[in-house]
């Protein structure tokens, strides 16, 4: 797959040929690295064409690539071995707020508003920043795709002040709508699905993920143990500045939200 440069435009027939090849390439341990790399390369080439916005074939190809990459990320997250999970000491309030801001920027043209609130200025937990970022983006994506309202509310709270409660952090993503429990249970039981990948990622963080619903609201709640309850000394995550976070760390946001954005 040729890379895009300022003085070269990938011919349409070559793009279509590369697209067909990638869509036919089976996902497996021996092809995952190549598939991820070539999907990113093809998406860059599609976006680099001057006729992208006015060409429905290119837009369809880009959406298909993003959906294939999203399903691949689900499969990888659902199968991630515990031995490769590397948590760090993270300040989740800052990371959650930055991720919510990034989602709000992307979803604002679609009439969605992401609002973040936290009851504490510092909320430290043991997490793998990339895995946590992916999980929160999936929570936001599901809310954005299925909400019947405009607001998506992200809330970070600390619980467990009482003697009978285990201290923890609760990260909630709430939106207007109703929960479909049979569909949720079916997805959770299906290996490699987005829901099973989210549950696996929460488990690796020694936490849990639950959905709650009533007549007007659906909440997805991630429960994580506090850093001091982890029981071992962890390296401290040094977060990048927000611009770098958007440019380098959050590229999966565009893949996660492809069902909502449509391109």
């Amino acid at each position: 797959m040729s890379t895009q440069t300022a003085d070269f435009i990938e011919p349409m027939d070559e793009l279509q040929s590369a697209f067909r090849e990638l869509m036919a390439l089976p996902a497996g341990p021996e092809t995952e690295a190549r598939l991820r790399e070539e999907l990113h390369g093809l998406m860059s080439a599609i976006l680099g064409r001057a006729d992208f916005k006015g060409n429905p074939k290119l837009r369809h190809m880009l959406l298909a690539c993003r959906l294939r990459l999203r399903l691949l990320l689900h499969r990888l997250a659902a199968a991630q071995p515990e031995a490769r999970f590397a948590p760090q000491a993270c300040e989740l309030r800052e990371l959650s707020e930055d991720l919510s801001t990034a989602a709000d920027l992307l979803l604002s043209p679609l009439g969605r508003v992401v609002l973040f609130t936290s009851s504490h200025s510092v909320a430290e937990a043991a997490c793998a920043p990339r895995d946590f970022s992916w999980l929160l983006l999936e929570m936001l994506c599901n809310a954005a795709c299925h909400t019947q309202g405009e607001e998506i509310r992200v809330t970070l709270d600390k619980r467990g002040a009482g003697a009978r409660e285990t201290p923890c952090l609760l990260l909630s993503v709430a939106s207007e709508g109703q929960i479909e429990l049979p569909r949720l249970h079916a997805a959770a039981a299906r290996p490699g699905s987005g829901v099973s990948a989210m549950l696996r990622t929460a488990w690796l963080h020694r936490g849990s993920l639950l959905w709650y619903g009533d007549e007007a609201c659906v909440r997805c709640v991630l429960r994580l143990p506090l850093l001091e309850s982890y029981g071992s000394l962890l390296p401290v995550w040094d977060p990048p500045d927000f611009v770098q976070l958007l440019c380098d760390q959050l590229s999966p946001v565009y893949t996660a939200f492809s069902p909502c954005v449509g391109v």
Side-chain angles (χ1 to χ4, degrees):
M1 181 70 202
S2 303
T3 56
Q4 185 70 33
T5 63
D7 56 355
F8 177 80
I9 298 296
E10 194 83 37
M12 188 64 181
D13 57 344
E14 292 188 17
L15 281 179
Q16 291 177 316
S17 176
F19 172 76
R20 288 191 294 269
E21 179 183 344
L22 283 179
M23 291 301 105
L25 185 66
E30 67 285 351
T31 61
E32 283 172 358
R34 174 193 168 191
L35 190 54
R36 288 200 307 273
E37 180 182 357
E38 296 200 10
L39 280 168
H40 281 294
L42 180 58
M43 289 188 292
S44 296
I46 292 171
L47 287 168
R49 288 184 60 96
D51 61 341
F52 167 72
K53 290 186 178 181
N55 191 322
K57 288 185 178 180
L58 290 173
R59 294 169 68 85
H60 168 76
M61 288 164 59
L62 180 65
L63 179 58
C65 287
R66 283 180 170 166
L67 289 174
R68 177 107 208 250
L69 185 57
R70 186 174 188 232
L71 292 175
L72 180 61
L73 292 174
H74 287 168
R75 182 178 180 276
L76 293 174
Q80 181 178 193
E82 187 176 2
R84 292 180 57 188
F85 184 74
Q88 301 177 56
C90 295
E91 209 294 283
L92 286 193
R93 184 189 187 282
E94 180 180 350
L95 180 55
S96 300
E97 187 171 16
D98 284 349
L99 288 161
S100 299
T101 300
D104 181 67
L105 290 172
L106 184 63
L107 293 173
S108 58
L110 306 176
R112 300 285 192 269
V113 178
V114 180
L115 304 174
F116 175 83
T117 58
S118 176
S119 60
H120 294 268
S121 58
V122 176
E124 291 185 318
C127 81
R130 285 185 177 273
D131 295 306
F132 172 82
S133 299
W134 173 85
L135 178 55
L136 178 52
L137 290 173
E138 285 292 318
M139 294 166 67
L140 287 164
C141 172
N142 290 339
C145 289
H146 299 293
T147 184
Q148 299 171 5
E150 296 180 356
E151 290 186 357
I152 299 169
R153 298 175 297 282
V154 183
T155 306
L156 182 63
D157 195 10
K158 188 180 291 187
R159 296 287 178 87
R164 296 183 180 180
E165 295 180 282
T166 301
C168 68
L169 291 173
L170 294 180
L171 181 65
S172 171
V173 175
S175 60
E176 183 180 340
Q178 294 182 336
I179 193 169
E180 298 181 35
L181 287 177
R183 183 178 178 183
L184 187 64
H185 290 159
R190 189 168 64 251
S193 71
V195 175
S196 66
M198 293 168 71
L199 291 169
R200 171 70 177 176
T201 304
W203 180 84
L204 287 172
H205 281 87
R206 299 187 182 180
S208 63
L209 191 67
L210 296 173
W211 282 263
Y212 302 88
D214 54 32
E215 294 182 356
C217 179
V218 175
R219 289 189 302 137
C220 180
V221 181
L222 173 64
R223 184 186 184 99
L224 294 176
L226 297 177
L227 180 62
E228 56 262 30
S229 66
Y230 199 79
S232 59
L233 187 64
L234 297 175
V236 178
W237 181 56
D238 183 20
D241 63 52
F242 185 59
V243 173
Q244 183 183 350
L245 187 70
L246 284 175
C247 295
D248 299 331
Q249 302 295 324
L250 295 187
S251 59
V253 72
Y254 301 103
T255 299
F257 285 100
S258 59
C260 306
V261 179
V263 294

